[in-house]
Amino acid sequence: MSRSASSLIKMRGIIKRFYIGKPNELEILHGINLDVHEGEFVSIVGESGSGKSTLMNIIGVLDRATEGSYELAGEDMASVKDSELSRIRNVNIGFVFQTFNLIGRMSAQKNVELPMLYAGVSASERARRAARLLEMVDMADRAKHQPNELSGGQKQRVAIARAMANDPAILLADEPTGALDSETSRTVMDLFHDLHRRHGKTIVLITHNRSLAEETQRILTILDGRITGEEKGAASSGTLG
């Protein structure tokens, strides 16, 4: 999948229904149009039940839309087989979840190596790259620790390093600070800003936290399955300290 200066994410008329054809058929997304360009830091903000998690699952090709078109880095996701979607998720999208999703009984180093293992990267290169990524998130001294030996903030930093393992086109962060205290949340957000500014990463932040959304370049508000507003955030003007 090639990267281009045009939209990395291009959605048109995205509709998502569940229980299709049944009396309790439910439409969650009602015609979403969305563009995210390479190098952007965009937030999608909405309350619980707004449809943001459903939209995130489609952006991350964890689920498919019922109707509408979705192009990821110029490739039509509707024409991609399920087996190929798993490769796209592993190589082209880095996921950061509220619940960390680290593998227990596996060291921080091995957790970061895991996406590279699935991508067929050699053992020596996996080890080298994982060590570099853990150093980047200031977790080199915890490389041999298992998740149950780490704090919430440390787990999330390992998760961010893991998300970067295959140098993905997009980082997709779903409520990444939701389980953290305010001080630790600040550390994690600062890390995202660093990845965006210094490493040029395209980041989509899914959150209910308006103050976090305001730190990004562009804020999209989702309500009842529709994008109801778009505005610039602090990062768009360089006013974020």
Side-chain angles (χ1 to χ4, degrees), residues 13-16 26-32 223-227:
I14 293 294
I15 292 173
K16 182 60 181 179
L26 182 63
E27 186 170 295
I28 303 296
L29 300 179
H30 313 293
I32 296 285
L223 178 66
D224 297 332
R226 293 180 172 87
I227 301 290

Side-chain angles (χ1 to χ4, degrees), residues 89-123:
R89 284 192 297 268
N90 185 50
V91 174
N92 293 91
I93 303 171
F95 293 93
V96 182
F97 297 101
Q98 176 178 339
T99 51
F100 319 124
N101 287 13
L102 298 178
I103 307 298
R105 299 184 182 179
M106 185 179 283
S107 69
Q109 171 89 16
K110 293 300 183 184
N111 265 282
V112 176
E113 288 185 25
L114 199 57
M116 293 181 270
L117 175 65
Y118 294 146
V121 177
S122 69

Side-chain angles (χ1 to χ4, degrees), residues 10-11 13-14 28 31 33 41 43 56 58 70 86 112 144 146 149 154 156 161 178 195-196 199-200 234:
K10 182 178 181 180
M11 290 182 158
I14 293 294
I28 303 296
N33 295 324
F41 191 172
S43 56
M56 185 217 73
I58 295 173
Y70 175 26
S86 62
V112 176
K144 295 182 180 179
Q146 295 181 1
E149 299 172 307
Q154 290 171 334
Q156 198 58 296
L195 290 172
H196 174 241
H199 300 272

Side-chain angles (χ1 to χ4, degrees), residues 3-195:
R3 304 184 191 185
S4 71
S6 59
S7 297
L8 273 178
I9 294 170
K10 182 178 181 180
M11 290 182 158
R12 294 293 182 269
I14 293 294
I15 292 173
K16 182 60 181 179
R17 299 189 187 101
F18 294 93
Y19 318 117
I20 297 172
K22 298 180 180 179
N24 58 338
E25 180 174 303
L26 182 63
E27 186 170 295
I28 303 296
L29 300 179
H30 313 293
I32 296 285
N33 295 324
L34 174 64
D35 288 277
V36 177
H37 298 278
E38 186 170 12
E40 275 198 294
F41 191 172
V42 177
S43 56
I44 299 173
V45 62
E47 298 301 323
S48 177
S50 62
K52 65 182 188 297
S53 293
T54 301
L55 179 58
M56 185 217 73
N57 286 339
I58 295 173
I59 293 173
V61 292
L62 296 164
D63 198 3
R64 293 183 186 267
T66 307
E67 295 180 25
S69 65
Y70 175 26
E71 292 183 6
L72 179 60
E75 188 168 357
D76 180 9
M77 292 297 99
S79 64
V80 177
K81 295 179 180 179
D82 288 346
S83 58
E84 177 67 6
L85 287 180
S86 62
R87 187 197 66 80
I88 290 171
R89 284 192 297 268
N90 185 50
V91 174
N92 293 91
I93 303 171
F95 293 93
V96 182
F97 297 101
Q98 176 178 339
T99 51
F100 319 124
N101 287 13
L102 298 178
I103 307 298
R105 299 184 182 179
M106 185 179 283
S107 69
Q109 171 89 16
K110 293 300 183 184
N111 265 282
V112 176
E113 288 185 25
L114 199 57
M116 293 181 270
L117 175 65
Y118 294 146
V121 177
S122 69
S124 59
E125 176 62 13
R126 291 198 307 266
R128 186 196 67 79
R129 197 185 303 175
R132 178 176 57 81
L133 289 168
L134 285 170
E135 184 175 359
M136 183 183 71
V137 299
D138 197 24
M139 286 294 292
D141 60 338
R142 297 287 189 272
K144 295 182 180 179
H145 287 62
Q146 295 181 1
N148 64 359
E149 299 172 307
L150 303 175
S151 69
Q154 290 171 334
K155 290 176 187 176
Q156 198 58 296
R157 280 187 276 163
V158 172
I160 291 169
R162 180 188 58 189
M164 290 284 290
N166 288 320
D167 192 24
I170 297 166
L171 286 179
L172 188 55
D174 183 23
E175 300 283 8
T177 66
L180 306 176
D181 60 49
S182 58
E183 183 178 351
T184 309
S185 296
R186 180 70 269 149
T187 300
V188 169
M189 282 301 293
D190 287 345
L191 182 53
F192 279 120
H193 287 299
D194 185 65
L195 290 172

